[in-house]
């Protein structure tokens, strides 16, 4: 399994950004993709998850209504749209995957098997 993130960069506060995760190597379409982030000096934080099998999405309370996770069907790409960004959103954002779609139901999406290398998002004026 390979997960490759893209879309990070420097963004002004209040703006939006789209991150993408290109997933490959899963044996079928019933897998889970989640996004995590890790800010400098802080622990890794789960953000959102999508079950590619049934399309259901799940969000952590901290980002619900501001971040949106979605998939593009046949292209195996999962996106995370970030809105109303603040400097506190500065972090490395990771795409994480698991062959079991219901891993999205696990608290904090704990235990997913595959991690991308991350993409840096910096929010600054």
């Amino acid at each position: 399994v390979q997960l490759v993130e893209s879309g990070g960069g420097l963004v002004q506060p209040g703006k939006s950004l789209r991150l993408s995760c290109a997933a490959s190597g899963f044996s079928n379409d019933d897998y889970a993709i989640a996004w995590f982030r890790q800010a400098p000096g802080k622990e890794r934080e789960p953000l959102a998850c999508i079950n590619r099998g049934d399309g259901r999405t799940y969000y952590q309370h901290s980002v619900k209504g501001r971040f949106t996770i979605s998939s593009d069907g046949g292209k195996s790409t999962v996106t995370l749209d970030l809105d109303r960004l603040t400097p506190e959103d500065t972090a490395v954002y990771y795409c994480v995957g698991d062959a079991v779609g219901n891993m999205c139901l696990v608290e904090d999406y704990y235990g997913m098997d595959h991690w991308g290398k991350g993409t840096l998002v910096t929010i600054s004026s």
Side-chain angles (χ1 to χ4, degrees):
V1 172
Q2 187 175 20
L3 303 170
V4 180
E5 304 96 336
S6 62
L10 175 62
V11 180
Q12 292 181 332
K15 300 294 186 180
S16 300
L17 188 68
R18 169 168 286 187
L19 305 181
S20 295
C21 171
S24 61
F26 288 106
S27 60
N28 56 52
D29 290 335
D30 186 18
Y31 58 89
I33 296 291
W35 285 93
F36 285 68
R37 70 182 178 187
Q38 187 164 21
K42 295 188 177 181
E43 294 187 355
R44 199 167 287 174
E45 176 188 10
L47 301 173
C49 190
I50 186 167
N51 181 330
R52 292 273 287 137
D54 60 18
R56 292 186 179 184
T57 58
Y58 304 84
Y59 295 92
Q60 297 294 306
H61 179 73
S62 60
V63 300
K64 193 170 185 179
R66 200 163 62 90
F67 291 3
T68 304
I69 190 170
S70 60
S71 66
D72 65 350
K75 292 185 179 180
S76 299
T77 298
V78 172
T79 58
L80 184 70
D81 289 310
L82 318 176
D83 293 327
R84 305 191 304 277
L85 288 162
T86 74
E88 287 68 38
D89 294 313
T90 294
V92 177
Y93 285 70
Y94 296 92
C95 175
V96 186
D98 196 277
V100 178
N102 283 337
M103 284 297 287
C104 288
L105 299 174
V106 176
E107 185 175 359
D108 292 341
Y109 325 130
Y110 180 81
M112 296 177 77
D113 283 335
H114 309 286
W115 288 72
K117 294 182 178 180
T119 185
L120 176 62
V121 173
T122 303
I123 311 301
S124 176
S125 55

